[in-house]
PDB file of all heavy atoms in Angstrom:
ATOM      1  N   LYS A 140      19.068  78.096 -43.621  1.00 95.00           N
ATOM      2  CA  LYS A 140      19.709  77.704 -42.222  1.00 95.00           C
ATOM      3  C   LYS A 140      21.179  77.881 -42.346  1.00 95.00           C
ATOM      4  O   LYS A 140      21.871  77.696 -43.431  1.00 95.00           O
ATOM      5  CB  LYS A 140      19.436  76.293 -41.961  1.00 95.00           C
ATOM      6  CG  LYS A 140      17.914  75.956 -41.918  1.00 95.00           C
ATOM      7  CD  LYS A 140      17.705  74.455 -41.981  1.00 95.00           C
ATOM      8  CE  LYS A 140      16.237  74.062 -42.214  1.00 95.00           C
ATOM      9  NZ  LYS A 140      16.078  72.596 -42.448  1.00 95.00           N
ATOM     10  N   PRO A 141      21.904  78.375 -41.259  1.00 96.00           N
ATOM     11  CA  PRO A 141      21.360  78.447 -39.862  1.00 96.00           C
ATOM     12  C   PRO A 141      20.582  79.709 -39.552  1.00 96.00           C
ATOM     13  O   PRO A 141      20.257  79.973 -38.369  1.00 96.00           O
ATOM     14  CB  PRO A 141      22.621  78.370 -39.065  1.00 96.00           C
ATOM     15  CG  PRO A 141      23.673  79.021 -39.954  1.00 96.00           C
ATOM     16  CD  PRO A 141      23.287  78.608 -41.262  1.00 96.00           C
ATOM     17  N   ALA A 142      20.303  80.538 -40.457  1.00 95.00           N
ATOM     18  CA  ALA A 142      19.447  81.728 -40.199  1.00 95.00           C
ATOM     19  C   ALA A 142      18.067  81.303 -39.811  1.00 95.00           C
ATOM     20  O   ALA A 142      17.643  80.111 -40.314  1.00 95.00           O
ATOM     21  CB  ALA A 142      19.336  82.542 -41.473  1.00 95.00           C
ATOM     22  N   PRO A 143      17.315  81.996 -39.050  1.00 96.00           N
ATOM     23  CA  PRO A 143      16.026  81.488 -38.525  1.00 96.00           C
ATOM     24  C   PRO A 143      14.924  81.536 -39.560  1.00 96.00           C
ATOM     25  O   PRO A 143      13.844  80.951 -39.377  1.00 96.00           O
ATOM     26  CB  PRO A 143      15.737  82.311 -37.386  1.00 96.00           C
ATOM     27  CG  PRO A 143      16.443  83.678 -37.677  1.00 96.00           C
ATOM     28  CD  PRO A 143      17.662  83.185 -38.396  1.00 96.00           C
ATOM     29  N   GLU A 144      15.098  82.141 -40.656  1.00 96.00           N
ATOM     30  CA  GLU A 144      14.087  82.484 -41.658  1.00 96.00           C
ATOM     31  C   GLU A 144      13.327  81.346 -42.133  1.00 96.00           C
ATOM     32  O   GLU A 144      12.025  81.258 -42.138  1.00 96.00           O
ATOM     33  CB  GLU A 144      14.660  83.288 -42.838  1.00 96.00           C
ATOM     34  CG  GLU A 144      13.539  83.791 -43.805  1.00 96.00           C
ATOM     35  CD  GLU A 144      14.053  84.575 -44.924  1.00 96.00           C
ATOM     36  OE1 GLU A 144      15.337  84.811 -44.985  1.00 96.00           O
ATOM     37  OE2 GLU A 144      13.271  85.012 -45.765  1.00 96.00           O
ATOM     38  N   PRO A 145      13.980  80.127 -42.510  1.00 95.00           N
ATOM     39  CA  PRO A 145      13.162  79.057 -42.846  1.00 95.00           C
ATOM     40  C   PRO A 145      12.193  78.440 -41.890  1.00 95.00           C
ATOM     41  O   PRO A 145      11.036  78.043 -42.131  1.00 95.00           O
ATOM     42  CB  PRO A 145      14.201  77.904 -43.247  1.00 95.00           C
ATOM     43  CG  PRO A 145      15.426  78.693 -43.560  1.00 95.00           C
ATOM     44  CD  PRO A 145      15.372  79.844 -42.574  1.00 95.00           C
ATOM     45  N   VAL A 146      12.652  78.527 -40.580  1.00 97.00           N
ATOM     46  CA  VAL A 146      11.777  78.077 -39.425  1.00 97.00           C
ATOM     47  C   VAL A 146      10.626  79.081 -39.221  1.00 97.00           C
ATOM     48  O   VAL A 146       9.511  78.746 -39.068  1.00 97.00           O
ATOM     49  CB  VAL A 146      12.614  77.804 -38.206  1.00 97.00           C
ATOM     50  CG1 VAL A 146      11.627  77.359 -36.969  1.00 97.00           C
ATOM     51  CG2 VAL A 146      13.682  76.806 -38.393  1.00 97.00           C
ATOM     52  N   GLU A 147      10.984  80.306 -39.341  1.00 97.00           N
ATOM     53  CA  GLU A 147       9.993  81.404 -39.098  1.00 97.00           C
ATOM     54  C   GLU A 147       8.954  81.320 -40.300  1.00 97.00           C
ATOM     55  O   GLU A 147       7.746  81.532 -40.014  1.00 97.00           O
ATOM     56  CB  GLU A 147      10.656  82.761 -39.144  1.00 97.00           C
ATOM     57  CG  GLU A 147      11.499  82.996 -37.888  1.00 97.00           C
ATOM     58  CD  GLU A 147      12.467  84.210 -37.947  1.00 97.00           C
ATOM     59  OE1 GLU A 147      12.627  84.746 -39.063  1.00 97.00           O
ATOM     60  OE2 GLU A 147      12.922  84.589 -36.896  1.00 97.00           O
ATOM     61  N   GLN A 148       9.466  80.989 -41.444  1.00 96.00           N
ATOM     62  CA  GLN A 148       8.450  80.935 -42.531  1.00 96.00           C
ATOM     63  C   GLN A 148       7.583  79.750 -42.332  1.00 96.00           C
ATOM     64  O   GLN A 148       6.285  79.750 -42.604  1.00 96.00           O
ATOM     65  CB  GLN A 148       9.137  80.675 -43.946  1.00 96.00           C
ATOM     66  CG  GLN A 148       8.334  80.444 -45.080  1.00 96.00           C
ATOM     67  CD  GLN A 148       7.431  81.741 -45.473  1.00 96.00           C
ATOM     68  OE1 GLN A 148       7.689  82.779 -45.064  1.00 96.00           O
ATOM     69  NE2 GLN A 148       6.442  81.440 -46.359  1.00 96.00           N
ATOM     70  N   ALA A 149       8.062  78.586 -41.899  1.00 97.00           N
ATOM     71  CA  ALA A 149       7.291  77.410 -41.575  1.00 97.00           C
ATOM     72  C   ALA A 149       6.178  77.713 -40.462  1.00 97.00           C
ATOM     73  O   ALA A 149       5.070  77.330 -40.635  1.00 97.00           O
ATOM     74  CB  ALA A 149       8.165  76.232 -41.129  1.00 97.00           C
ATOM     75  N   LEU A 150       6.646  78.452 -39.515  1.00 97.00           N
ATOM     76  CA  LEU A 150       5.619  78.849 -38.407  1.00 97.00           C
ATOM     77  C   LEU A 150       4.622  79.811 -38.906  1.00 97.00           C
ATOM     78  O   LEU A 150       3.424  79.598 -38.565  1.00 97.00           O
ATOM     79  CB  LEU A 150       6.428  79.527 -37.263  1.00 97.00           C
ATOM     80  CG  LEU A 150       7.453  78.719 -36.527  1.00 97.00           C
ATOM     81  CD1 LEU A 150       8.135  79.538 -35.390  1.00 97.00           C
ATOM     82  CD2 LEU A 150       6.809  77.400 -35.996  1.00 97.00           C
ATOM     83  N   GLU A 151       4.917  80.662 -39.863  1.00 96.00           N
ATOM     84  CA  GLU A 151       4.016  81.621 -40.480  1.00 96.00           C
ATOM     85  C   GLU A 151       3.017  80.754 -41.252  1.00 96.00           C
ATOM     86  O   GLU A 151       1.702  81.015 -41.212  1.00 96.00           O
ATOM     87  CB  GLU A 151       4.690  82.582 -41.224  1.00 96.00           C
ATOM     88  CG  GLU A 151       3.726  83.577 -41.943  1.00 96.00           C
ATOM     89  CD  GLU A 151       4.430  84.742 -42.703  1.00 96.00           C
ATOM     90  OE1 GLU A 151       5.667  84.927 -42.430  1.00 96.00           O
ATOM     91  OE2 GLU A 151       3.724  85.394 -43.555  1.00 96.00           O
ATOM     92  N   LEU A 152       3.465  79.830 -42.016  1.00 96.00           N
ATOM     93  CA  LEU A 152       2.618  79.016 -42.845  1.00 96.00           C
ATOM     94  C   LEU A 152       1.674  78.178 -41.936  1.00 96.00           C
ATOM     95  O   LEU A 152       0.414  77.956 -42.275  1.00 96.00           O
ATOM     96  CB  LEU A 152       3.325  77.960 -43.686  1.00 96.00           C
ATOM     97  CG  LEU A 152       4.142  78.723 -44.853  1.00 96.00           C
ATOM     98  CD1 LEU A 152       5.114  77.619 -45.442  1.00 96.00           C
ATOM     99  CD2 LEU A 152       3.245  79.277 -45.846  1.00 96.00           C
ATOM    100  N   ALA A 153       2.133  77.720 -40.822  1.00 97.00           N
ATOM    101  CA  ALA A 153       1.301  77.013 -39.909  1.00 97.00           C
ATOM    102  C   ALA A 153       0.313  77.785 -39.057  1.00 97.00           C
ATOM    103  O   ALA A 153      -0.657  77.388 -38.542  1.00 97.00           O
ATOM    104  CB  ALA A 153       2.136  76.120 -39.015  1.00 97.00           C
TER     105      ALA A 153
END
Side-chain angles (χ1 to χ4, degrees):
K140 304 165 191 172
E144 189 178 354
V146 181
E147 292 168 346
Q148 176 67 15
L150 296 178
E151 183 176 340
L152 290 171

